[in-house]
Amino acid sequence: MDINTFSSGGILLEHRQVLNNVGAQTGAPTRLDISRNSFPSDFIFGVASSAYQIEGGALEGGKGPCTWDTETSKPGRILDGSTANVACDSYHKYQADVDLIHNIGYDAYRFSIAWSRIYPEGVGERPNQEGLDYYNRLIDSLLKSGIKPFITLCHFDLPQALVDKFGGWHGSEIVPAFAAYAETCFKSFGDRVRHWITINEPTIDLAFNAGVSAAMEANEVTRYKAGHNMILAHAHAAKIYREKYQGSSDGVIGISLDIQWFEPLTDSPEDIEASETALAFRGGWFLDPFFRGEYPAAIRKTWGYSLPSFTPEESRIVKGSADFLGVNYYTAYYVTSKPCDGFSNEPAFPVTMPSSVYVGDTKNGVLIGAQTPTGLRACPDGLARLLLFLKSKYGNPLIYITENGYSEKRNPEMTLEESLQDGERTEFFRSHIRSLLEAHKNGVNVRGYFAWTLMDNFEWLWGYGFLFGICYVDFQNNQKRYLKESALWFKKFLQK
Ligand code: BGC
């Protein structure tokens, strides 16, 4: 069977045959059996971060309060009671970040802009010059070191003023507000930045429920409305970029979605259909509008009139508005069509799956992937399978892996030396990049990979209790950064 043809079920079965040997090849943690030279020379390897998680300077430089400043001030909201008021202090130590990235040898850095640094109130006549200056310094420093900036315009942190005014992503007023903010960024940085990501992981609660009152928190109906506003906000920003700023440059604009792989529990047509439905509810919710101009039939069937519709004009603006798809990949699940032990159709996804979809993580007593400290299973094969699925389903779009990473639980008892030993993380990266290579060899149009994340940082509701960094940050000693074993592995991997 030709793996490039998508037919219901066929592609999923074929992936399994093509990729069956991937998992079997995971081995000794630090083995360097692949390198960047296994990929084309223009393939981009980078590392990612986000403004709120690293910058600190919460109320410096004219920054306005954001939704996550609100969340961290709510008693009991953050697991370890911490805030990100200082975090990694990148607002002052951005040069140390650039030096790390350069030292490891990455080609690119994905970071986000704090909207409330540019417009403290979310909207305004004039942007905050100190905010623009900060990002100008960062961009110039990256370019000086030969590192390409990939900018995310909104990574969960919305100006709180917009939530107070109209509910943030819940109000349709957000669409012109986001477009205006995006345009300011294109105008200010577009002469030096070629890669733009409008929104990070729009489908999850951390993005659209932060800063809102308990009464306004999204339910099954309102979250589709918030998602709709995000899709339109992306599309309007992309339209402005293309009409006024893309020009003859090779600049591109896309969006980063968190998508898991859903492996059918068996090869039965029902389980294969359940897998496709699960994928429609996760990625398809946004991807179908971008690549086909409308929501997936499976979501429409389940939610009927509660799901917003695109007017013909909106559909025209939305369809084709993503030059590339950013994929944030962390884990995979099994899926089946019938109730079965250990499987549920109300898993912890933001949206409830229909009654024909049951999700679990174990088959014949074996987990789909190694358990990681945050509870996500590491399933490298799932990355290649997901990429092949996206290729078949959406016409082989340009893809960047914009996040992929491994958590560890903070252990304050460990010495510095011990904290730098992260063999499991190293193995996580090695096996996932190997899977990525497999997908690339099978024709997936993937052109870049970003490790999550540059350094230990503020991990949202977990505070500093779970760490994803390839560099250790000594939060007690002036936020000094140290390379972990995984960073050293990347350094070797990236040597030309
Ligand atoms: C988010 C990051 C986060 C990471 C690990 C992703 O969902 O984009 O901000 O740190 O997952 O939890």
Side-chain angles (χ1 to χ4, degrees):
M1 190 188 292
D2 176 2
I3 68 154
N4 292 304
T5 34
F6 176 76
S7 61
S8 192
I11 191 73
L12 294 175
L13 288 178
E14 190 60 36
H15 294 171
R16 207 155 326 156
Q17 281 149 22
V18 170
L19 302 167
N20 255 347
N21 57 349
V22 176
Q25 290 167 353
T26 54
T30 48
R31 211 169 68 209
L32 195 71
D33 54 355
I34 45 168
S35 77
R36 67 169 309 139
N37 299 320
S38 317
F39 290 79
S41 57
D42 58 354
F43 195 93
I44 292 173
F45 281 98
V47 67
S49 73
S50 89
Y52 195 73
Q53 293 177 276
I54 65 165
E55 278 180 7
L59 293 173
E60 282 181 67
K63 175 181 169 291
C66 75
T67 48
W68 275 89
D69 294 322
T70 308
E71 288 302 307
T72 55
S73 69
K74 291 182 186 162
R77 183 76 171 132
I78 307 300
L79 202 62
D80 60 3
S82 60
T83 72
N85 290 348
V86 179
C88 304
D89 198 20
S90 291
Y91 185 63
H92 299 107
K93 297 188 170 58
Y94 70 89
Q95 188 56 48
D97 300 346
V98 176
D99 293 345
L100 282 179
I101 300 164
H102 181 63
N103 174 2
I104 299 169
Y106 286 115
D107 311 309
Y109 181 39
R110 175 185 172 220
F111 63 93
S112 80
I113 293 184
W115 183 342
S116 65
R117 260 190 214 295
I118 306 299
Y119 286 107
E121 297 284 310
V123 286
E125 299 261 296
R126 241 177 277 121
N128 169 33
Q129 192 56 44
E130 277 187 83
L132 295 177
D133 291 347
Y134 169 66
Y135 294 108
N136 271 323
R137 287 196 294 273
L138 173 58
I139 293 167
D140 289 343
S141 168
L142 287 167
L143 292 173
K144 208 164 143 210
S145 291
I147 302 162
K148 292 182 178 54
F150 274 56
I151 288 187
T152 310
L153 292 170
C154 186
H155 193 123
F156 299 168
D157 53 339
L158 223 53
Q160 183 61 40
L162 299 183
V163 173
D164 299 342
K165 269 188 221 143
F166 49 72
W169 290 115
H170 296 269
S172 52
E173 298 92 325
I174 194 82
V175 176
F178 181 78
Y181 155 63
E183 174 154 16
T184 297
C185 295
F186 303 146
K187 203 186 287 172
S188 311
F189 314 125
D191 56 332
R192 287 152 294 155
V193 176
R194 302 255 171 287
H195 295 87
W196 297 93
I197 294 158
T198 49
I199 306 172
N200 180 70
E201 300 192 353
T203 64
I204 72 172
D205 281 3
L206 298 180
F208 56 77
N209 262 346
V212 304
S213 65
M216 270 211 74
E217 278 195 10
N219 56 43
E220 289 287 349
V221 174
T222 57
R223 79 179 66 233
Y224 282 112
K225 176 70 184 135
H228 196 73
N229 291 334
M230 288 167 151
I231 291 169
L232 292 174
H234 162 90
H236 281 275
K239 186 168 180 289
I240 292 171
Y241 181 64
R242 286 171 178 174
E243 287 175 0
K244 293 169 72 177
Y245 300 94
Q246 197 170 29
S248 55
S249 77
D250 52 358
V252 281
I253 185 157
I255 189 163
S256 284
L257 303 180
D258 56 315
I259 322 182
Q260 301 83 12
W261 173 241
F262 291 91
E263 177 73 10
L265 187 64
T266 72
D267 291 345
S268 74
E270 293 79 16
D271 283 1
I272 288 167
E273 199 186 325
S275 161
E276 288 184 15
T277 305
L279 286 159
F281 269 75
R282 294 300 287 126
W285 174 8
F286 276 65
L287 290 175
D288 280 38
F290 291 140
F291 291 100
R292 299 172 159 192
E294 58 192 339
Y295 288 113
I299 303 188
R300 177 73 62 204
K301 201 168 141 203
T302 311
W303 287 101
Y305 291 112
S306 322
L307 182 68
S309 296
F310 295 108
T311 64
E313 170 64 4
E314 285 172 348
S315 179
R316 207 181 48 75
I317 297 176
V318 166
K319 189 173 173 189
S321 63
D323 293 326
F324 69 88
L325 165 61
V327 172
N328 292 358
Y329 177 79
Y330 286 88
T331 194
Y333 297 89
Y334 285 117
V335 62
T336 179
S337 65
K338 294 195 197 70
C340 136
D341 248 11
F343 282 65
S344 156
N345 74 341
E346 285 184 0
F349 298 115
V351 286
T352 308
M353 302 277 180
S355 56
S356 55
V357 176
Y358 291 83
V359 180
D361 57 18
T362 309
K363 180 174 174 174
N364 302 329
V366 181
L367 281 174
I368 193 161
Q371 180 79 268
T372 72
T374 43
L376 299 172
R377 324 267 182 259
C379 181
D381 303 17
L383 176 58
R385 290 179 191 186
L386 173 64
L387 291 176
L388 282 161
F389 173 82
L390 294 171
K391 170 187 175 222
S392 310
K393 175 103 183 167
Y394 297 106
N396 206 12
L398 169 58
I399 292 178
Y400 290 101
I401 306 301
T402 41
E403 282 182 35
N404 177 228
Y406 181 90
S407 64
E408 67 197 279
K409 197 166 185 327
R410 170 187 295 283
N411 177 354
E413 306 294 303
M414 281 200 313
T415 62
L416 172 63
E417 282 66 35
E418 286 164 344
S419 301
L420 303 183
Q421 302 306 311
D422 60 346
E424 289 93 356
R425 177 174 291 113
T426 306
E427 170 56 11
F428 179 96
F429 286 128
R430 194 191 69 78
S431 58
H432 281 77
I433 293 176
R434 194 173 179 91
S435 180
L436 177 70
L437 182 60
E438 204 65 30
H440 185 269
K441 279 191 192 147
N442 280 288
V444 173
N445 188 14
V446 56
R447 299 204 204 147
Y449 172 94
F450 289 78
W452 184 267
T453 180
L454 175 60
M455 59 197 154
D456 295 341
N457 59 41
F458 177 76
E459 185 46 52
W460 308 113
L461 296 174
W462 284 312
Y464 299 89
F466 287 96
L467 306 168
F468 280 82
I470 60 166
C471 296
Y472 173 86
V473 176
D474 188 344
F475 291 101
Q476 311 307 321
N477 286 302
N478 207 20
Q479 274 73 9
K480 191 157 181 219
R481 289 105 160 105
Y482 298 84
L483 303 186
K484 295 185 191 173
E485 183 186 315
S486 56
L488 295 172
W489 179 84
F490 265 115
K491 193 170 166 140
K492 253 199 220 158
F493 172 89
L494 291 168
Q495 262 160 24
K496 294 195 175 142

